[in-house]
């Protein structure tokens, strides 16, 4: 939906008196086109206003999430549309996840002090969802807009400053506006709702942890994906479930933090007990949806699932996951190089994926850049930033994965569960746990 810029202009917006002569309002006619066969519509007579058409803030088809707000505006949050009614839901369900994401939680994260206290403004009654849109708000309480005065004149290297100007011609300077990772608060809040639906209805569990910081790589065989727990992941500030490697990762972050530099890393995410059959063939394969969701997070640079690029070094006989019948007469695979997805559809095994995050772009070291008026210069960025984003990215990855899966769960229910299923080949989506039975009464 189009919106108009208010009286207070964005950075770089031309005034109403010169917009007609600005490049934003000009149109270059190709030399081969004449005025006789090319018509330029006349401008309306009402006062000229700069119109910005922005998109890309809504995710999902059935469980739809729209995030809103800027890093240094009044607040951030999300609107969830399509959440089933009668789901027990309170602020505390989301606050647990927001506390894992919030800034200032340890010395290896940004020192910005925010409680990130959420409030449900609509969509619930007497502790249950009503089926109507759910609005979740989180106020900003520790803004320091003056820290970004230099960025109003020059672009931060590898940040979104330049590309936002290239696209819109205007941008919100303070904190990067919508490009700031603070936007992910809405995702994490909505992801908490999605995780609760998955757990209560189907017994599925989404867990992520840090598996690499810079050159410290956690060996894959050290973590048992069938039994790793949230408590193990949350037992240290870097969110690595192995204590020895956690200390090495913390040391690696500390080493660059004191130098005003940054490092990247990898977050591994697993999904246990996911129903079979989620995802669709061809364009909407489950791994493709997961890749899009995870790669939409700030600072992401790579996505792998299953064997990933390591599988390219194997032969087919080495890589194939052979089938067998387990003690419950269920078809299983002896190995899981497919990562729990085959043909774009979940097969009941543990889904596993890895997401690569680049070093934080904003660092407090001198860098070469260019000003908005196209002059080369030097820049030392101010502000408060994570020396490594991966510890706080863990709940963000979990949220995006959960949003994909709850959307796919609803799609599978509507397409394949309306009529009697084939019990020889298909399984019910709903878990038979006491918790799910209690919710569905």
């Amino acid at each position: 939906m189009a919106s108009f810029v208010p009286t207070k202009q964005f950075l770089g917006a031309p005034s109403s008196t010169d917009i007609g002569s600005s490049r934003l309002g000009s149109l270059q006619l190709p030399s081969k086109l004449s005025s006789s066969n090319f018509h330029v519509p006349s401008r309306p007579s009402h006062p000229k206003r700069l119109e910005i058409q922005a998109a890309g803030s809504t995710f999902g088809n059935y469980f739809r999430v729209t995030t809103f707000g800027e890093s240094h505006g009044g607040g951030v949050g999300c609107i969830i549309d399509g959440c089933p009614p009668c789901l027990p839901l309170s602020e505390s369900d989301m606050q647990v996840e927001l506390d894992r994401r919030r800034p200032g939680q340890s010395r290896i994260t940004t020192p910005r002090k925010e409680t990130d206290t959420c409030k449900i403004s609509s969509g619930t009654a007497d502790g249950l969802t009503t089926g109507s849109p759910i609005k979740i708000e989180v106020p900003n309480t520790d803004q320091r807009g003056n820290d970004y005065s230099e960025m109003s004149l020059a672009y931060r290297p590898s940040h979104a400053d330049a590309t936002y100007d290239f696209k819109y011609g205007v941008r919100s300077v303070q904190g990067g506006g919508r490009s700031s990772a603070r936007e992910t608060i809405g995702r994490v809040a909505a992801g908490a709702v999605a995780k609760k639906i998955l757990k209560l209805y189907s017994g599925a569990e989404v867990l992520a942890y840090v598996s690499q910081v810079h050159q410290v790589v956690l060996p894959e065989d050290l973590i048992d994906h069938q039994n790793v727990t949230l408590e193990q992941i949350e037992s240290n500030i870097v969110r690595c479930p192995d204590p020895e490697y956690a200390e090495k990762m913390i040391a690696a972050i500390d080493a660059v933090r004191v130098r005003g530099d940054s490092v990247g890393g990898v977050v591994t995410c697993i999904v246990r007990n996911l129903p079979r059959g989620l995802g669709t063939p061809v364009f909407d394969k489950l791994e493709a949806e997961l890749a899009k969701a995870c790669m939409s997070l700030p600072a992401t640079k790579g996505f792998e699932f299953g064997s990933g690029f390591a599988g390219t070094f194997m032969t087919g006989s080495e890589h194939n996951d052979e089938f067998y019948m387990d003690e419950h007469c269920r078809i299983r695979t002896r190995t899981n190089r497919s990562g729990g997805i085959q043909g774009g559809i979940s097969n009941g095994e543990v889904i596993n994926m890895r997401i690569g995050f680049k070093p934080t772009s904003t660092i407090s070291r001198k860098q070469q850049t260019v000003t908005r008026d196209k002059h080369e210069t030097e820049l030392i960025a101010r502000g408060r930033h994570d020396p490594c984003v991966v510890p706080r990215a863990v709940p963000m990855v979990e949220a995006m994965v959960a949003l994909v899966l709850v959307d796919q769960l609803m799609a599978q229910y509507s397409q394949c569960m309306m009529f009697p299923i084939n019990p020889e080949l298909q399984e019910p989506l709903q878990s038979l746990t006491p918790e799910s039975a209690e919710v569905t009464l």
Side-chain angles (χ1 to χ4, degrees):
M1 179 181 294
S3 60
F4 293 102
V5 174
T7 304
K8 184 178 179 181
Q9 293 177 328
F10 285 101
L11 178 66
S15 66
S16 60
T17 57
D18 63 8
I19 191 170
S21 60
S22 71
R23 287 169 52 192
L24 288 174
S26 65
L27 178 65
Q28 299 290 335
L29 291 179
S31 58
K32 293 184 179 180
L33 293 177
S34 65
S35 59
S36 61
N37 58 16
F38 191 90
H39 175 66
V40 180
S42 59
R43 293 182 179 273
S45 58
H46 58 72
K48 300 177 180 64
R49 292 177 291 183
L50 180 63
E51 187 179 78
I52 302 175
Q53 294 186 351
S57 293
T58 299
F59 183 83
N61 296 308
Y62 309 98
F63 190 90
R64 292 176 62 83
V65 177
T66 301
T67 68
F68 61 83
E70 288 84 24
S71 176
H72 287 255
V76 293
C78 68
I79 296 175
I80 305 170
D81 197 8
C83 181
C86 298
L87 172 74
L89 186 67
S90 66
E91 281 93 350
S92 60
D93 292 315
M94 290 165 283
Q95 197 61 55
V96 171
E97 299 299 327
L98 291 174
D99 287 345
R100 299 172 68 206
R101 194 225 71 96
R102 69 174 177 83
Q105 57 186 272
S106 74
R107 71 176 187 273
I108 61 172
T109 63
T110 170
R112 179 171 175 170
K113 298 297 182 182
E114 296 278 3
T115 61
D116 286 352
T117 303
C118 67
K119 177 184 178 182
I120 300 176
S121 300
S122 67
T124 63
D126 299 324
L128 298 175
T129 57
T130 63
S132 61
I134 302 169
K135 184 180 181 182
I136 303 164
E137 300 173 283
V138 174
N140 293 329
T141 60
D142 189 22
Q143 306 100 315
R144 293 184 186 176
N146 291 334
D147 286 349
Y148 297 87
S149 57
E150 292 91 346
M151 274 70 87
S152 66
L153 305 175
Y155 299 124
R156 293 169 291 179
S158 288
H159 213 286
D161 300 346
T163 51
Y164 269 48
D165 263 356
F166 297 162
K167 179 174 179 63
Y168 299 110
V170 296
R171 61 186 170 93
S172 175
V173 176
Q174 289 79 9
R178 289 289 284 168
S179 69
S180 168
R182 191 150 181 79
E183 175 272 335
T184 62
I185 282 179
R187 306 183 192 216
V188 172
V193 181
K195 288 170 73 173
K196 187 164 189 178
I197 295 172
L198 290 168
K199 183 68 174 178
L200 292 178
Y201 186 82
S202 66
E205 185 178 20
V206 182
L207 283 176
Y209 61 88
V210 175
S211 56
Q212 179 181 338
V213 167
H214 196 38
Q215 298 179 7
V216 180
V217 182
L218 176 69
E220 289 187 14
D221 57 0
L222 283 186
I223 306 301
D224 180 3
H225 285 173
Q226 291 285 357
N227 297 301
V228 64
T229 66
L230 177 63
E231 289 72 24
Q232 291 173 320
I233 295 169
E234 293 293 319
S235 64
N236 55 76
I237 59 177
V238 79
R239 294 198 168 91
C240 173
D242 183 86
E244 179 182 350
Y245 275 86
E247 289 301 319
K248 295 179 181 179
M249 293 176 181
I250 294 171
I253 297 174
D254 278 334
V256 296
R257 177 177 60 87
V258 297
R259 300 199 305 264
D261 214 335
S262 64
V263 290
V266 175
V267 171
T268 294
C269 185
I270 62 170
V271 184
R272 297 189 293 230
N273 304 318
L274 188 72
R276 301 179 182 192
L278 301 195
T280 55
V282 194
F283 297 113
D284 296 330
K285 293 180 177 179
L286 183 54
E287 66 268 34
E289 296 299 306
L290 290 168
K292 176 183 178 180
C294 292
M295 290 299 291
S296 73
L297 287 168
T300 51
K301 286 298 179 183
F303 178 89
E304 290 185 311
F305 81 97
S307 62
F309 285 98
T312 63
F313 295 100
M314 300 179 181
T315 62
S317 59
E318 294 170 328
H319 191 273
N320 285 349
D321 296 316
E322 295 183 342
F323 291 108
Y324 76 102
M325 298 297 298
D326 69 8
E327 63 274 20
H328 303 292
C329 294
R330 297 182 76 236
I331 300 175
R332 300 285 306 278
T333 61
R334 296 189 185 278
T335 54
N336 191 25
R337 299 184 186 93
S338 299
I341 303 172
Q342 292 173 323
I345 300 170
S346 62
N347 65 3
E349 304 297 330
V350 174
I351 291 179
N352 64 83
M353 66 205 85
R354 294 167 299 282
I355 301 92
F357 289 82
K358 69 177 181 178
T360 312
S361 297
T362 308
I363 58 177
S364 56
R365 302 184 68 173
K366 184 182 295 185
Q367 299 179 90
Q368 300 296 314
T369 187
V370 173
T371 63
R372 297 186 82 246
D373 56 1
K374 301 181 179 180
H375 292 93
E376 293 184 355
T377 187
E378 293 180 339
L379 174 69
I380 298 179
R382 292 191 295 165
R384 299 153 294 175
H385 309 281
D386 295 86
C388 180
V389 300
V390 290
R392 292 176 62 212
V394 166
M396 302 177 197
V397 169
E398 290 178 359
M400 294 310 300
V401 170
L403 291 176
V404 170
L405 297 180
V406 78
D407 207 49
Q408 294 291 333
L409 181 68
M410 292 181 176
Q412 178 70 5
Y413 186 92
S414 64
Q415 182 183 17
C416 299
M417 299 291 158
M418 292 184 68
F419 298 100
I421 63 175
N422 181 348
E424 294 298 320
L425 300 174
Q426 296 171 287
E427 296 178 352
L429 295 175
Q430 188 172 11
S431 170
L432 299 180
T433 62
E435 293 84 358
S436 64
E438 180 181 346
V439 171
T440 54
L441 287 177

